[in-house]
Amino acid sequence: MKKALSIFVAMLAAVTATTWAQQQAPYRVKAICGVVKSDAWLTDNTQEGIYELDLESGALTKLTEGKDVYQAPLGGAIYQDGTMKGIHFKTTYDPFDQANTYTLYHVEYDMKSWQRTYAYTLGDMDRNYISSCGLALDPVTGTAWGIFYNFNMSWQVVSRKLASISFATPVPTRTIIGNVTTPMAAIACSDQGVLYGIGQDGFLYAINTTPTGDTSSEAEVLPLGDLGIDNISTYPSSMTFNPFTGKFLWSVVLNDGKSYLYEVNHNIGQVAATKLMQVPDNAFLVNLYIPEAEAGDDAPAAVTDLNATFDGTATTGIVTFTMPTLSYTGDGLDADTPLTYTVACGTDTLAQGTAMPGEQVTAAVTVQPGEVTFTVTAANEAGASPATEFSLYVGPDVPLAPDNLAWDYDFDARQATVTWQAPQQGTHGIELNAQEMTFNIYLMPADQLMAQGVTECQATIPFDPEVLAAYSFRVEPVCEDITGQSATTAAAVVGPALDVPYTHSFNATSSFDLITVIDANGDGNSWYWDKGWSSNRAAIDAKQGTNDDWMLSPPLNLKKGATYRVTFNANTYVATNVDYLQLAYGKGFDTDAYTAIGDRYTISSPVSQDYTQTDIVPTASGPYYFGFHSTSIAPYGFLLMHNFSITMVKDAPQLLRGDVDGSGTVDIDDVSAIISIILGKATEADYPGNANVDDNGGIDIDDVSTTIRIILGKEQ
């Protein structure tokens, strides 16, 4: 341990003995920081977030609108590769434990837009990620350091651990070096990669980050000198290296509640803290950072008025901008000396040339289609200006998703018909070429391609599923070889129809697996499964206006001429509610073509009861859906349905096609009977069967012909 300490001291002496070449920067140096408190804020007008700090005036300028406490992570943050990465924590009071608890978050922000790019909740158990003295980034190795609280389960500090931290994973990875017994107010790395800390005791320390192999041992902390400040509070403090002075910038709140900025000299033998100012409005600063200069002092300032224009889907267009008239430090440029400019996209140079200061430049460029960022710089003998960027989408656009998707099913033809409305624009607002648009249709949930290159806004797809289940169709637009956003129809139940009697109880969430729900008015409110206090049930609530919502049974096999009964058990939620429900049945999902069953029910009892409707006689055999159509009116209406059943109360006549007299055999007597009816010598009511063989609504010679064909064995 002593040998390691001596090596660290020798290394530190060599580093700090090097004379730091200070930049002479006549322009106003500015820092980035988070602000968590200010005397200027009213209690209902807090403005936590990210700010720019003018190091001459102390003025704080907010870089984003509104309030975002996550932009000022209290657990520490680093600025790396254009991203701010940090640990934020919120304090909440737990009334059960009668103590404070904390919820931690891993957050990241883009440093250009200051929009949050990542957020992950660590919860309250990943507790040892808070570095109360901030985080420090080593500019040499890219390693982030912190001195992290080691909490017990009661959020009491057991110890403090020096550790590196990586934000490469949702739960950041810490690598512990050892314990630090000296409480630190703030830490920061120098430009040489040495970690320094200011203790709560007012001393400046150098901290050895070399692993010792024993994480339970003490990390090496070397006192360098007394800063002469002995009233440091435990409020947030922050420190960063200032590349323009070669010294540290330190913000601290003293025990008098005042916030100050200091400049800290870390050179051995010259350790001192110089007060720069009291921070305006006693703002509490966290996560200080001073960006390096973007250009040389006498290099041009950035170009302005950058714009790019492309006609339609063309990939050749023009870029326009105005050349600077000032240097990077704000001095006037020689009006008679031309500047050079470069227009680039990534690593590709698109245009170059010369122009006079203040001149407006128009440059023709050709790019690949897609999202393009143009970068423009001006330059003179002193170097290039800071880059100015402008982004836009160029070329054929990515189609938006289709709209108004629907589908129906024909059980007789065993095919689905899918319809939709084509998008007119792409995701970037560029008009699409309708002549070049096709569509791909996928069956869901298998995501199986069913049709490709469809040119119309509908598709008829052979579809005869072996399993009764909920299916839907995903429609994907393709325009000029660019695949767009897709949309999916509502799910509906198709497959082998079930037999009657059929009973359906809403006793679990799975009870909706074979139910088709149709939100006919598209208000986003329709039938759903609800677990009530006393029972499970299907439910619907009239949120706004009048409900127009259907709940369809699975497809059920019904016989022509048979009589069926529908029974359902339902109630309204409270006695003051009134619900309306209409029964109907039909084929497919076009409920406008359904046949109404009886009159509309008025359901106003909060006690569940059975409702019955009989005399349902299909005119043709085949699969049918029974529909429960809610037409309740807001603000009343909270209809609860507990079960429903469909039963046959009277079978169809025993005869099949042509067996008019019900003898069980189709013979000449059936033909004679039909002829007698046609000649008016008898009526159909005289026969137990049905002489209308071909379902044409009357009895004519076609019925006779059909019966004869059946007798001859030419028709079943």
Side-chain angles (χ1 to χ4, degrees), residues 411-412 497 555-560 564 587 618 620-625:
F411 274 95
D412 295 329
L556 301 174
N557 286 315
L558 303 185
K559 290 182 181 180
K560 169 188 173 180
Y564 295 90
K587 296 186 174 184
S621 298
Y624 287 83
Y625 294 89

Side-chain angles (χ1 to χ4, degrees), residues 36 69-78 84-91 102-107 122 126-136 144-149 151 155 161 163 165 167 172 174 185 187 236-238 285-287:
V36 296
V69 297
Y70 298 93
Q71 285 179 343
L74 293 173
I78 59 170
M84 183 183 76
K85 310 170 187 181
I87 299 292
H88 184 66
F89 64 88
K90 283 186 175 180
T91 306
Y102 301 88
T103 302
L104 279 65
Y105 307 87
H106 167 189
V107 295
L122 300 176
D126 292 310
R127 59 189 62 227
N128 298 323
Y129 285 91
I130 299 175
S131 177
S132 65
C133 55
L135 299 178
W145 297 100
I147 299 176
F148 300 92
Y149 283 135
F151 292 103
W155 289 99
K161 301 284 189 180
I165 183 170
F167 292 95
R174 296 187 316 148
I187 59 173
S237 180
S238 181
L285 312 182
V286 295
N287 308 319

Side-chain angles (χ1 to χ4, degrees), residues 161-440:
K161 301 284 189 180
L162 171 65
S164 63
I165 183 170
S166 170
F167 292 95
T169 55
V171 178
T173 302
R174 296 187 316 148
T175 302
I176 297 174
I177 301 298
N179 296 319
V180 176
T181 56
T182 302
M184 296 291 173
I187 59 173
C189 284
S190 70
D191 60 334
Q192 301 296 316
V194 178
L195 181 62
Y196 292 85
I198 297 177
Q200 292 288 153
D201 57 5
F203 273 74
L204 178 68
Y205 294 89
I207 304 170
N208 190 356
T209 58
T210 303
T212 63
D214 182 4
T215 59
S216 63
S217 65
E218 288 294 315
E220 298 171 356
V221 176
L222 178 66
L224 300 179
D226 187 351
L227 298 178
I229 303 171
D230 58 2
N231 57 341
I232 300 173
S233 75
T234 57
Y235 287 117
S237 180
S238 181
M239 184 166 67
T240 189
F241 186 77
N242 186 344
F244 301 102
T245 63
K247 299 177 182 178
F248 288 108
L249 182 70
W250 174 40
S251 76
V252 61
V253 180
L254 301 182
N255 286 331
D256 60 2
K258 306 298 183 182
S259 180
Y260 297 92
L261 272 181
Y262 286 88
E263 183 177 75
V264 177
N265 190 333
H266 62 289
N267 290 318
I268 293 178
Q270 301 174 6
V271 171
T274 303
K275 184 189 296 183
L276 299 180
M277 70 182 74
Q278 181 177 340
V279 180
D281 299 315
N282 289 309
F284 288 10
L285 312 182
V286 295
N287 308 319
L288 276 170
Y289 169 69
I290 300 177
E292 294 186 0
E294 297 180 89
D297 292 353
D298 296 327
V303 303
T304 57
D305 306 321
L306 177 59
N307 196 11
T309 305
F310 290 78
D311 291 332
T313 60
T315 56
T316 296
I318 60 171
V319 173
T320 59
F321 53 91
T322 302
M323 299 293 283
T325 58
L326 301 175
S327 71
Y328 181 61
T329 57
D331 297 327
L333 295 172
D334 185 351
D336 297 326
T337 302
L339 304 172
T340 61
Y341 65 81
T342 301
V343 181
C345 177
T347 59
D348 297 329
T349 298
L350 305 179
Q352 287 181 312
T354 60
M356 303 304 292
E359 181 180 349
Q360 186 176 37
V361 178
T362 299
V365 295
T366 300
V367 297
Q368 294 296 315
E371 193 74 43
V372 177
T373 297
F374 296 101
T375 303
V376 180
T377 56
N380 58 13
E381 292 181 352
S385 71
T388 301
E389 293 184 348
F390 181 82
S391 299
L392 79 165
Y393 189 89
V394 175
D397 206 348
V398 179
L400 289 169
D403 200 6
N404 296 326
L405 279 75
W407 73 290
D408 204 352
Y409 187 69
D410 187 334
F411 274 95
D412 295 329
R414 293 296 191 267
Q415 63 186 21
T417 300
V418 186
T419 59
W420 62 90
Q421 182 178 335
Q424 303 298 310
Q425 292 184 329
T427 56
H428 301 87
I430 299 175
E431 186 174 351
L432 301 174
N433 185 348
Q435 302 300 318
E436 295 293 329
M437 189 177 300
T438 62
F439 301 90
N440 302 325

